[in-house]
């Protein structure tokens, strides 16, 4: 306990400093007090994106919950699609997740659902993954007694899209800046993955150009960029540390450019 106190104290001060820098208008005394309690109990890190502040309230993220499970030596997490409650045609999915804290644990169960009406336009088309993430988040929150709602479940994060004001082009078709079927632009999808997993944008662009076999990302076809975004999101979710190592391998090539 004596050796642990200085470490927790350092994390508390680091979290407070990061919170003031990220959300200066929302960091009241009560908000920082709540942050201190969350840090002491769960060791969440603001810098690593494990918790976020929105409208004066703290929300835990999927990465924060996964790291907490790892620190607490979670035995395992399983997820299962619920076909009786899902509708692939309507892009409506329901998952059940179970968290096993130990080898003797009977499991903590959580359910998650997602459909086009309750996910952000930026992740439209990824409803299945969002549903699974929500189920895992809820199961983890139950298992470790976390009263915070998870960021991925937020209504504001998953607000229905507003009708875009898109001007007509000369040929009579709507200009959608990279998307003509109502799907989010690939650039927006890529930015979302970068923000969610706290990746280096410059290194991601270098990796993308190499993946697509072009000098710059702008020269790549939409299909190639779409494949890259899908792979990047999957890699970040499966093993972020391995992805970061991969991105760091492009650091020298980026620095060598004038």
């Amino acid at each position: 306990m004596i050796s642990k106190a200085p470490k927790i104290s350092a994390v508390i001060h680091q979290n407070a400093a990061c919170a003031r820098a990220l959300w200066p208008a929302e960091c009241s005394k009560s908000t920082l007090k709540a942050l201190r309690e969350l840090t002491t109990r769960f060791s969440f890190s603001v810098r690593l994106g494990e918790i976020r502040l929105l409208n004066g309230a703290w929300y835990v993220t999927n990465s924060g919950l996964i790291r907490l499970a790892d620190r607490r030596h979670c035995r395992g997490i399983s997820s299962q699609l619920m076909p009786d409650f899902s509708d692939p045609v309507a892009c409506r999915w329901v998952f059940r997740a179970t968290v096993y804290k130990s080898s003797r644990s009977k499991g903590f169960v959580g359910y998650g659902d997602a459909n086009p009406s309750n996910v952000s336009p930026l992740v439209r088309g990824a409803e299945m993954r969002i549903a699974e993430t929500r189920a895992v988040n809820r199961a983890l929150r139950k298992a470790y007694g976390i009263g915070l709602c998870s960021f991925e479940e937020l209504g504001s994060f998953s607000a229905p899209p507003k009708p875009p004001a898109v001007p007509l082009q000369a040929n009579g078709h709507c200009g959608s800046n990279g998307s003509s079927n109502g799907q989010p632009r690939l650039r927006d999808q890529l930015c979302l993955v970068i923000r969610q997993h706290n990746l280096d944008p410059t290194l991601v662009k270098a990796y993308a150009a190499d993946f697509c076999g072009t000098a710059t990302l702008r020269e790549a076809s939409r299909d190639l960029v779409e494949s890259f975004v899908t792979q990047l999101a999957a890699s970040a979710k499966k093993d972020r540390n391995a992805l970061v190592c991969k991105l760091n391998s492009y650091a020298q090539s980026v620095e060598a450019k004038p």
Side-chain angles (χ1 to χ4, degrees):
M1 294 298 294
I2 295 177
S3 62
K4 185 178 180 180
K7 182 178 180 180
I8 292 296
S9 177
V11 176
I12 289 174
H13 285 89
Q14 183 185 73
N15 274 352
C18 288
R20 291 191 185 99
L22 291 172
W23 309 288
E26 298 184 63
C27 286
S28 62
K29 290 183 178 180
S30 59
T31 299
L32 292 177
K33 181 180 179 181
L35 175 60
R36 181 187 183 91
E37 294 174 353
L38 290 169
T39 306
T40 302
R41 183 175 180 185
F42 301 111
S43 299
F44 287 138
S45 170
V46 174
R47 181 179 63 84
L48 296 177
E50 296 181 352
I51 51 175
R52 298 188 184 185
L53 183 62
L54 182 64
N55 297 328
W58 289 105
Y59 296 88
V60 64
T61 65
N62 176 255
S63 61
L65 290 168
I66 294 296
R67 290 193 182 104
L68 174 64
D70 181 61
R71 290 194 296 270
R72 299 288 178 86
H73 306 289
C74 177
R75 184 69 175 181
I77 304 173
S78 67
S79 62
Q80 179 183 5
L81 176 67
M82 308 297 289
D84 292 342
F85 302 98
S86 301
D87 184 354
V89 176
C91 293
R92 182 170 63 249
W93 307 95
V94 178
F95 272 82
R96 168 180 171 165
T98 306
V99 170
Y100 301 95
K101 296 176 63 176
S102 67
S103 58
R104 298 182 179 181
S105 174
K106 294 182 179 180
F108 293 82
V109 177
Y111 292 87
D113 68 283
N115 60 73
S117 70
N118 66 7
V119 301
S120 166
L122 296 177
V123 292
R124 191 65 50 77
E127 289 85 358
M128 177 182 286
R129 294 194 296 273
I130 295 298
E132 184 181 19
T133 297
R134 289 173 175 174
V136 170
N137 284 6
R138 288 169 180 168
L140 285 169
R141 289 195 291 113
K142 284 184 180 180
Y144 295 102
I146 300 175
L148 299 179
C149 179
S150 67
F151 182 75
E152 288 78 10
E153 299 173 61
L154 281 179
S156 58
F157 176 76
S158 305
K162 296 180 180 180
V166 182
L168 289 176
Q169 296 178 345
N171 58 6
H173 295 290
C174 292
S176 56
N177 193 16
S179 175
S180 59
N181 58 359
Q183 296 296 321
R185 295 181 299 176
L186 289 176
R187 184 182 65 181
D188 293 334
Q189 295 181 42
L190 181 59
C191 289
L192 179 64
V193 175
I194 291 173
R195 288 197 304 270
Q196 282 184 326
H197 300 282
N198 195 25
L199 304 176
D200 188 311
T202 302
L203 298 181
V204 169
K205 289 182 180 180
Y207 179 26
D210 183 45
F211 179 91
C212 298
T214 56
T216 63
L217 186 58
R218 291 176 178 270
E219 299 173 10
S221 67
R222 178 179 174 83
D223 290 339
L224 282 174
V225 176
E226 187 172 9
S227 297
F228 171 76
V229 173
T230 301
Q231 175 173 306
L232 183 71
S235 299
K237 183 177 180 181
K238 181 180 180 181
D239 191 343
R240 181 184 178 278
N241 291 334
L243 175 60
V244 170
C245 289
K246 175 71 174 180
L247 293 176
N248 288 337
S249 67
Y250 292 90
Q252 291 184 352
S253 62
V254 170
E255 293 175 357
K257 292 183 179 181

